[in-house]
């Protein structure tokens, strides 16, 4: 499991392209590691349509706002009253990770709540994914990083649900 001691080593690196954290770093086979990603990891330019997500095992829940999270019960409550269960909760809501406390919910430090901003976060997420294969993961946020996290989670054999308030991804 990830330990605080390893974070010091991961932070002491030359600048790197953060897009690799939500791309190659999270892959189960031949994952990207420094020094191999001082530039963006490429893609095959496939359009990310709803069909793409369905074909890749990612459930999209559009036009949905998360009102609360119960990190003890591993559930989210939507504005419409729907309850969504998860094994891993990743908060991927934009340019900076919004902590659960910013939504009035405690639990940012729960073992199964992950953020992705730097290599320490990415290494922690890799460890959580490896210990949760076959479980359910929810990604809050439909921006670039949230979509890439969802794809990586699916590749790592987790059942993925994305939740965000807009009508479609990357709004």
């Amino acid at each position: 499991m990830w330990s605080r001691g390893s974070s010091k080593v991961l932070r002491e690196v030359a600048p790197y392209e953060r897009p690799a954290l939500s791309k190659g770093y999270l892959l189960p086979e031949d994952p990207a590691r420094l020094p191999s990603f001082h530039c963006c990891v490429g893609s095959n330019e496939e359009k990310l349509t709803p069909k793409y997500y369905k074909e890749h095992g990612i459930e999209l829940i559009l036009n949905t706002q998360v009102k609360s999270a119960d990190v003890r019960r591993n559930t989210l409550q939507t504005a419409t009253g729907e309850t969504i269960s998860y094994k891993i909760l990743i908060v991927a809501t934009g340019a900076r990770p919004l902590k659960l406390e910013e939504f009035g919910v405690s639990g940012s430090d729960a073992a199964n709540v992950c953020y992705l901003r730097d290599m320490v976060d990415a290494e922690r997420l890799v460890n959580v994914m490896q210990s949760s294969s076959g479980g359910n993961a929810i990604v809050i946020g439909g921006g670039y990083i949230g979509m890439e996290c969802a794809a990586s989670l699916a590749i790592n054999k987790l059942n993925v649900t994305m939740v965000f308030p807009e009508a479609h991804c990357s709004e």
Side-chain angles (χ1 to χ4, degrees):
M1 193 67 182
W2 175 81
S3 70
R4 192 168 290 282
S6 66
S7 67
K8 188 172 188 181
V9 173
L10 293 173
R11 287 185 181 149
E12 293 175 1
V13 297
Y16 53 87
E17 294 281 344
R18 283 193 15 243
L21 296 180
S22 60
K23 293 181 181 183
Y25 200 96
L26 302 179
L27 297 177
E29 295 180 26
D30 298 321
R33 293 294 185 264
L34 284 175
S36 69
F37 61 87
H38 290 287
C39 62
C40 293
V41 177
S43 74
N44 62 6
E45 298 181 10
E46 184 175 358
K47 294 185 187 267
L48 301 179
T49 64
K51 180 181 175 186
Y52 170 90
Y53 290 103
K54 187 172 185 172
E55 289 175 353
H56 290 83
I58 299 170
E59 177 185 10
L60 290 176
I61 300 177
L62 305 172
N63 295 316
T64 301
Q65 183 178 15
V66 173
K67 289 302 240 183
S68 64
D70 185 337
V71 296
R72 291 186 182 150
R73 291 191 176 111
N74 295 347
T75 59
L76 298 177
Q77 189 78 32
T78 68
T80 62
E82 180 182 3
T83 300
I84 305 171
S85 298
Y86 63 88
K87 189 166 184 176
I88 300 172
L89 174 63
I90 298 169
V91 182
T93 54
R96 70 175 180 84
L98 299 174
K99 300 290 184 178
L100 288 174
E101 285 74 11
E102 294 179 63
F103 300 104
V105 178
S106 62
S108 286
D109 57 349
N112 61 344
V113 176
C114 300
Y115 298 88
L116 186 58
R117 182 67 181 172
D118 57 27
M119 283 183 50
V120 172
D121 293 343
E123 188 62 29
R124 183 170 180 275
L125 178 53
V126 165
N127 290 327
V128 171
M129 285 189 306
Q130 289 173 348
S131 68
S132 303
S133 185
N136 297 328
I138 295 179
V139 177
I140 299 175
Y144 186 74
I145 294 186
M147 290 187 295
E148 288 192 337
C149 281
S152 292
L153 288 160
I155 290 168
N156 279 280
K157 309 221 181 307
L158 284 115
N159 304 312
V160 182
T161 301
M162 294 179 69
V163 181
F164 42 96
E166 291 83 19
H168 44 81
C169 296
S170 292
E171 195 164 275

